[in-house]
Amino acid sequence: MEKQRGDVKAEPVVIGGMVLDIQATSSIPPHPRTTCPGKVHYVRGGVTRNIAECMSKLGAEPFMISALGIDMAGNLLLEHWKSAKLPTEGIRKHQDIKTPTVCHILDTNGEVAAGVASVEAVEMFLTPEWIQQFKHKIHSAPILMVDANLSPPALEASCRIAAEANVPVWFEPVSIAKSKRIAPVVKYITFASPNEDELIAMANSLSSDNMFRSIERNKCSVDTLFQMLKPAIWVLLEKGVKILVVTIGSDGVLLCSRGEPSSWRIGPEKTKRLGFSGQLFGTVTSSRPLNWYSDAKVLERSPYFFAVHSPALPASVVRLTGAGDCLVGGMLASLCAGLDAMQSVAIGIAVAKASVEVDSNVPSQFSLATIAGIYSILYHCCFAYLLSFNLQV
């Protein structure tokens, strides 16, 4: 039974899948219809689980609402969650649940070449009725994150509960096909974090006649890519999304909003500034420009539209599968610590860099000094570009 409203802590709530990832990395270019040498790893995964684990290691203490089976994969995932001293009350466990499992085939560069996902349990068992049991948790949360593995009724229920208490909602699209589930709930969404293909699918779901086509990049510049994506970006912003975090692979992130994203932050009554979160907030808010990273810049700025490109940073890549999740986890943890959206995307990029340099989806720990140093490079370069536009920040 859930605690009464007065006893509920202001913890971020995340709703979505906990998944066992089976990651097979080929040591040579793979060929169809035959096996090839390589390595196979069992990795704790799932978009929402990865994001939540990342948040916890940055001091945010998320409350997870998910579903697991009483099987080998489920036990592995649940035991790790308990060992991290994270709450398990929101995780539905039942013998009829088949724990979500995904098999990824990775190429020699660590990119996903193919994959098969068995995640039906998220739709079948994360029902509106299960989610409704934790409405007081959602009402008291600084932010709610939902992933598009949820069924449309569960997405609607989650967003409605958040709207009752004016809790901001972050929508994580998960895949091209499932990203279209934003359409019925777009009016509730504060943040969304698509890649460029998911962005196109989301814009088409909100438009008639599939008016947007997939982008053929052909090594085009970020400026050109932004101009090609801008009509789709604008559709989502017009439909109600406040801030879009568009990931563009090795080129980094486009942060787009109607109005200045630096003006958006969670109120102090729901932020946590203890432990790692407090140190992160203190370090970031007291930092001064240390460097100027010439590849970052404001792409467009007007009273109605703001877009900035934050580049990915050079990294010694081991595996790329957790980068996007750690970007989102880093941003969510930063927002929950009281940082604004511009500051949070810089932290997210620093966290994503750390994630690609390890063999797991989420690093075992994060270095405050490293994150703060990268933040100073990224955030203050944007500061410099804003000054070049003769703007106040």
Side-chain angles (χ1 to χ4, degrees):
M1 184 68 69
E2 200 201 351
K3 298 177 183 178
Q4 294 302 308
R5 183 187 300 269
D7 296 328
V8 178
K9 294 193 296 183
E11 300 167 327
V13 175
V14 295
I15 310 178
M18 301 179 78
V19 178
L20 178 64
D21 282 343
I22 303 172
Q23 298 180 349
T25 305
S26 175
S27 57
I28 62 173
H31 297 283
R33 296 180 298 279
T34 187
T35 60
C36 58
K39 295 182 178 179
V40 177
H41 298 272
Y42 292 90
V43 181
R44 294 177 293 270
V47 169
T48 297
R49 196 218 67 87
N50 291 345
I51 290 170
E53 182 182 354
C54 178
M55 292 172 70
S56 72
K57 290 177 177 176
L58 295 169
E61 296 186 2
F63 183 84
M64 182 84 170
I65 300 177
S66 192
L68 290 175
I70 304 173
D71 50 25
M72 182 193 74
N75 292 338
L76 187 153
L77 293 167
L78 187 62
E79 287 307 311
H80 177 262
W81 209 248
K82 289 178 178 177
S83 71
K85 296 181 170 56
L86 292 168
T88 61
E89 302 96 305
I91 301 173
R92 188 174 188 180
K93 299 169 284 290
H94 195 277
Q95 61 186 11
D96 291 339
I97 299 176
K98 199 167 187 179
T99 297
T101 306
V102 175
C103 180
H104 285 127
I105 308 298
L106 308 179
D107 62 22
T108 53
N109 297 316
E111 294 271 15
V112 176
V116 176
S118 174
V119 295
E120 298 83 4
V122 178
E123 288 197 40
M124 292 175 61
F125 293 96
L126 281 185
T127 61
E129 294 75 20
W130 179 258
I131 294 166
Q132 182 72 24
Q133 294 182 59
F134 307 100
K135 70 175 182 178
H136 296 324
K137 283 283 188 184
I138 297 173
H139 283 173
S140 65
I143 196 165
L144 167 70
M145 195 225 78
V146 293
D147 83 31
N149 281 314
L150 294 175
S151 68
L155 278 172
E156 178 78 23
S158 303
C159 291
R160 281 184 178 274
I161 293 169
E164 292 169 1
N166 295 316
V167 173
V169 177
W170 186 301
F171 178 86
E172 167 51 48
V174 176
S175 69
I176 294 171
K178 292 181 178 179
S179 67
K180 300 173 186 178
R181 294 181 179 182
I182 195 174
V185 297
V186 67
K187 64 183 178 181
Y188 300 111
I189 305 302
T190 308
F191 287 84
S193 45
N195 62 29
E196 55 203 83
D197 295 321
E198 292 162 349
L199 171 69
I200 296 298
M202 291 161 70
N204 278 329
S205 73
L206 295 164
S207 310
S208 58
D209 302 324
N210 287 328
M211 60 186 296
F212 300 102
R213 298 289 177 261
S214 297
I215 301 297
E216 296 292 337
R217 293 187 62 176
N218 297 323
K219 297 183 179 180
C220 66
S221 69
V222 170
D223 294 70
T224 301
L225 177 63
F226 168 67
Q227 292 301 327
M228 291 191 290
L229 294 175
K230 183 179 171 182
I233 290 169
W234 188 244
V235 166
L236 269 78
L237 295 178
E238 279 196 315
K239 293 293 184 179
V241 178
K242 304 296 186 296
I243 298 176
L244 270 174
V245 182
V246 184
T247 57
I248 51 175
S250 60
D251 287 320
V253 175
L254 303 175
L255 182 68
C256 307
S257 64
R258 298 183 74 171
E260 293 279 354
S262 58
S263 66
W264 198 97
R265 67 174 71 232
I266 293 170
E269 71 280 359
K270 286 191 173 183
T271 57
K272 177 186 175 183
R273 295 176 186 171
L274 301 173
F276 195 104
S277 293
Q279 295 174 47
L280 184 65
F281 179 86
T283 302
V284 165
T285 54
S286 64
S287 64
R288 294 291 180 266
L290 300 178
N291 205 343
W292 310 106
Y293 194 65
S294 60
D295 289 338
K297 64 179 178 179
V298 174
L299 298 168
E300 189 165 329
R301 198 266 184 177
S302 74
Y304 309 104
F305 185 58
F306 181 93
V308 64
H309 170 231
S310 292
L313 294 175
S316 301
V317 175
V318 175
R319 183 167 291 157
L320 296 169
T321 51
D325 300 341
C326 283
L327 170 78
V328 173
M331 287 194 67
L332 284 166
S334 302
L335 292 168
C336 291
L339 299 177
D340 66 39
M342 285 279 286
Q343 293 167 324
S344 296
V345 77
I347 295 294
I349 288 174
V351 172
K353 170 181 161 59
S355 76
V356 303
E357 296 182 329
V358 298
D359 203 31
S360 56
N361 286 329
V362 181
S364 59
Q365 62 183 7
F366 292 103
S367 163
L368 179 65
T370 300
I371 292 173
I374 296 173
Y375 161 83
S376 294
I377 293 172
L378 285 169
Y379 181 72
H380 294 301
C381 72
C382 296
F383 181 94
Y385 269 96
L386 285 168
L387 290 181
S388 73
F389 273 66
N390 295 317
L391 301 177
Q392 294 292 323
V393 293

